[in-house]
Amino acid sequence: MVKHPRVLGTVRLSILKDDTTSPEKQKHAVEHWASGPAVDGRIVGFAEDLDVSGAMHPFKRPGLGPWFSERADDWDVLAVWKLDRLSRKAGHFAEVFEWCQEHGKTIVSVTEGIDMSTPMGKMFAQIIAAFAEGELDTIRARALSGSQARKSKGVWIGGVEPFGYCFERQEGGGKKLAQDPTYAALFQEIVERLKGDWSSYKIAVDLNKRGVPTWRDHLRIVKGEEPRGIAWTTNAVRVVVMNPTVAGIYTYKGENVVDENGEHVRITDQPLMEYGEWSELVASLKADRPVRRATPSRSMLGGVAVCLGCGSRMSSNKKTKPNGRVHHYYACNAVNTGTCPNPGRIRRDDLDQAVSVFVRTTLGPLPVMERAGNAISQTKVELGDAEATLDRLEADYLAGRFKTDVQVERYWGQHEFQSAKVERLRTEIKAAEDTPAWTATGRTYAEEWAGKDDEQKRVFLQRHGITVHVGPTEDGNRRVVVKMPELAEIAEEVGLHLPEGYLWVEPEAEYILPRRMAHEPK
């Protein structure tokens, strides 16, 4: 070891409440060692990582990591209270030790008397690191066993109540989650509105108008605290619906928690929505519906209509005449950049009317069909995750990463479970693919269209893949082409009977609208 070294102290706690290894105790031990006559070192700083697992790589820890990447020239010795404060993973420990050797640094455990600048210290450090990793496996197994035991008794093992749930005290002690009557009903209302072509923005506006508190404010009110008056937003509505907790799935830091078999850990036997139904809804929100804009909708076809000249989207604009009259129109988004050779522009009322005629008359008497493939999509995602887990397990096993008896036992248990899961999901997908991809809603397009406002109509068009293209004709009029490509697919797959006159392969309608010189925005 160098004389009068610059000492970097390292402090780590998995749980801040651990009095036996408190930050102050760890710091005091390092300071006492550094100031001793045998060392006569100088403390240059402490890398503190509180509430950080020993499984996290030291290079990635928020407190310690920068001392390796950004401040490596500021210290000579890395001093820890015990080696497990540096890492509980033998592989991580070996990487840090190798880095220190390459950069002329030394690792010292001040309470275990290990100085890794000596051969004996290196040997003891490797042995202790291996035991620390085995202890981490034991800690994880004990924690999982404890959580499973509490779960089997219906005891809630989380923190704040997730959306739509409240605590129920049990006779034998502890508490479990049950549905909050008010917000469970609110959740069902939100889901039904999303299925009924309400956008997340429109739902948020309605909830704010009705004065419905957000979930956090609701919890504050229940506790007798003053609510903060936080408003609902588009993102807040989507987060509520897409959070796995509403399907009874336990999450931690945004990720689903799985048991030793890789299965989801459940938080309640009374979820707001069954997992299968929730998965189908989330798949539809991700795949079939684009994220709704967070600003108010000013039109029915903004972002839906497309310019025939360049393929850009068209947005709603307005022009105020000198006499004060305001004219609304749709225009190609590329009109201001000069990149469109023939930018489309049309009066908003004219285009809205043309699309409405298409839906009411061309599609009007036909039954509205919903795609039933979202459940298959979700199952395929689960299959991909299960196969990836299986591949990762086998790769780690072949690489010799499972060393302790606990690790090997868990490996075989997970491998057996994931293998069975892969086979089950493959069977489910095969069975689902053999069933019809479309289901009838029991309503016609005309009936659906009649009860919607502009916001809902735009969502409806996007959901059913109805396209609207606009461009000028040679004589200066406006050409509008409205299509519904998926109708031909529906008719072919389910044997949908099309009334006489529906002879096209791809249903479409073309309208030539006159240019209104007196009202055309300039």
Side-chain angles (χ1 to χ4, degrees), residues 283 286 375-387 425 429:
K286 289 181 177 179
I376 300 178
S377 300
Q378 182 62 29
T379 305
K380 287 182 177 179
V381 171
E382 290 187 47
L383 174 61
D385 291 343
E387 290 176 334
L425 292 173
I429 291 173

Side-chain angles (χ1 to χ4, degrees), residues 238-256:
R238 291 180 64 85
V239 166
V240 164
V241 175
M242 301 180 76
N243 193 322
T245 57
V246 299
I249 303 301
Y250 184 50
T251 64
Y252 180 71
K253 293 185 177 180
E255 296 184 3
N256 294 359

